[in-house]
Amino acid sequence: MNLYSTKTIRQLKEKYGFRFAKGLGQNFLTDPSVPEAMIAGSQIGPEDLVIEIGPGIGVLTAAAAEAAGRVVAIEVDERLLPILGETLQEYDNIEIICADVLKTDLREIIETQKTKYQITGDVRIIGNLPYYITTPIIMKLLEEELPVKTITVMMQKEVADRIESGPGSKAYGAISVAVQYYAEVSRIVSVPKEVFLPSPKVDSAVLLLELRETRAVQPLDETQFFACVRAGFGQRRKTLSNALCGAGKIPKETVREALSAAGIDESRRAETLSIEEFARIADELTTREGSEWKKTETN
Ligand code: SAM
């Protein structure tokens, strides 16, 4: 069965009485070169365990099952289960879990699978993400510090641009810093909207996130670091010292001292700061009285 053919997708829809749920971000891929690029870019090996988010009718699932030792796919829409039962019937190394990925204990799934199937390779996450929850999914995967080697995910092109950007770029923001803190980011492929059924309004891109063994920086206090990042980008047009004072309710003098000690000009804006500079500012604040961000509403 050619799962990439629009004719097959339409036949499956008719056979199972399935209708696309727009609210679930259901845009199915019709171009085999994209899963091929995702699998190759993730360097999935025969001993690896792959966790897929949102299998749809199973195009990426099948491609992953060809390359990996085992695949667990998490799909929230139970109407897709009988379809997946048919489209993936030739594979004996796939398990589908019907659940909302945001409410799923991924660590437990990984541990259970590793023990039960004696997985000796790496754990890799892949997915053509439902666009309405792209950022919460990515942040969940990173913040839970899962024992995962790579995360290869497709998302709206604009979100990929933001995640990839560095200082000085308009697209650079809190999400760029947050993701780059945990992972090295690279683009695997850009994907035009025309290769989906139904076609979404925007183009897409696939990013490879290679999880760092140690974070990009090691702030004294992670909460303080992220509070600074959020405060800085929360008021992008303000100078750094005003943004930090305003959001953190930290006395201006304390902010000034901290910026000066960190060697950062107080008139700079967050979008010009590297991750290392954010960490330096956060550390200088952490060591000063009266800069307890944790107690303010910015967190
Ligand atoms: N992987 C398929 C493909 O590439 O053709 C489908 C991708 S489609 C963009 C996103 C998939 O995620 C859909 O199958 C949708 O039902 C599923 N999904 C949406 N919200 C979800 C959630 N909270 N948890 C798990 N899956 C979800």
Side-chain angles (χ1 to χ4, degrees):
M1 193 187 303
N2 176 8
L3 297 180
Y4 296 99
S5 123
T6 51
K7 191 170 159 215
T8 308
I9 300 175
R10 290 203 174 98
Q11 280 169 349
L12 285 168
K13 280 182 68 193
E14 197 163 315
K15 181 170 173 189
Y16 290 93
F18 179 81
R19 280 168 187 273
F20 294 116
K22 226 179 158 188
L24 291 177
Q26 291 178 339
N27 302 97
F28 295 164
L29 258 173
T30 60
D31 179 353
S33 73
V34 179
E36 275 165 25
M38 289 176 74
I39 301 299
S42 315
Q43 297 183 344
I44 293 172
E47 310 299 331
D48 290 350
L49 166 66
V50 170
I51 309 285
E52 187 195 2
I53 299 167
I57 63 162
V59 282
L60 200 48
T61 331
E66 299 279 352
R70 190 154 179 84
V71 179
V72 175
I74 301 165
E75 172 56 63
V76 77
D77 189 349
E78 61 182 10
R79 300 170 311 149
L80 286 165
L81 300 192
I83 301 183
L84 287 164
E86 177 175 340
T87 58
L88 302 175
Q89 60 187 331
E90 65 186 271
Y91 299 95
D92 60 5
N93 59 342
I94 298 176
E95 185 170 327
I96 309 290
I97 296 178
C98 188
D100 176 346
V101 69
L102 290 177
K103 296 183 186 148
T104 301
D105 186 343
L106 294 170
R107 184 179 297 276
E108 197 196 316
I109 291 177
I110 291 169
E111 275 163 17
T112 308
Q113 292 285 324
K114 276 179 112 169
T115 313
K116 195 167 169 191
Y117 297 97
Q118 293 169 2
I119 305 287
T120 54
D122 292 312
V123 182
R124 300 181 188 273
I125 297 181
I126 60 169
N128 170 8
L129 297 181
Y131 291 176
Y132 71 109
I133 43 172
T134 297
T135 307
I137 292 176
I138 292 177
M139 290 320 297
K140 171 187 164 84
L141 300 178
L142 296 173
E143 285 170 355
E144 287 185 358
E145 305 193 345
L146 302 167
V148 162
K149 182 105 174 152
T150 54
I151 300 172
T152 309
V153 276
M154 172 138 51
M155 65 199 77
Q156 206 174 313
K157 183 186 164 296
E158 284 69 21
V159 180
D161 291 343
R162 289 215 294 276
I163 289 177
E164 265 187 322
S165 293
S169 154
K170 258 193 177 167
Y172 184 52
I175 182 81
S176 331
V177 175
V179 175
Q180 291 170 32
Y181 175 70
Y182 292 103
E184 280 187 53
V185 181
S186 56
R187 185 173 297 221
I188 288 193
V189 65
S190 298
V191 187
K193 54 181 174 294
E194 291 76 22
V195 304
F196 297 92
L197 189 75
S199 179
K201 289 201 180 76
V202 290
D203 292 329
S204 297
V206 177
L207 292 185
L208 170 66
L209 312 183
E210 294 175 271
L211 287 139
R212 300 180 190 275
E213 279 177 19
T214 48
R215 306 280 178 260
V217 286
Q218 283 83 41
L220 294 171
D221 179 342
E222 207 172 70
T223 311
Q224 176 85 282
F225 169 71
F226 281 114
C228 283
V229 172
R230 274 197 299 272
F233 287 111
Q235 295 172 301
R236 293 179 80 104
R237 278 177 300 168
K238 284 195 178 175
T239 61
L240 202 54
S241 73
N242 285 341
L244 295 177
C245 292
K249 301 202 172 48
I250 299 172
K252 186 124 190 162
E253 212 32 57
T254 310
V255 170
R256 279 205 171 127
E257 273 176 32
L259 288 173
S260 160
I264 311 273
D265 189 312
E266 64 179 79
S267 66
R268 283 177 65 185
R269 290 181 164 74
E271 63 211 39
T272 70
L273 294 180
S274 65
I275 298 188
E276 291 75 15
E277 289 177 313
F278 273 116
R280 284 214 310 268
I281 297 169
D283 285 354
E284 290 299 338
L285 283 171
T286 301
T287 52
R288 281 178 168 72
E289 289 282 316
S291 53
E292 287 86 12
W293 291 68
K294 284 159 273 183
K295 291 175 191 153
T296 77
E297 65 276 15
T298 53
N299 299 301

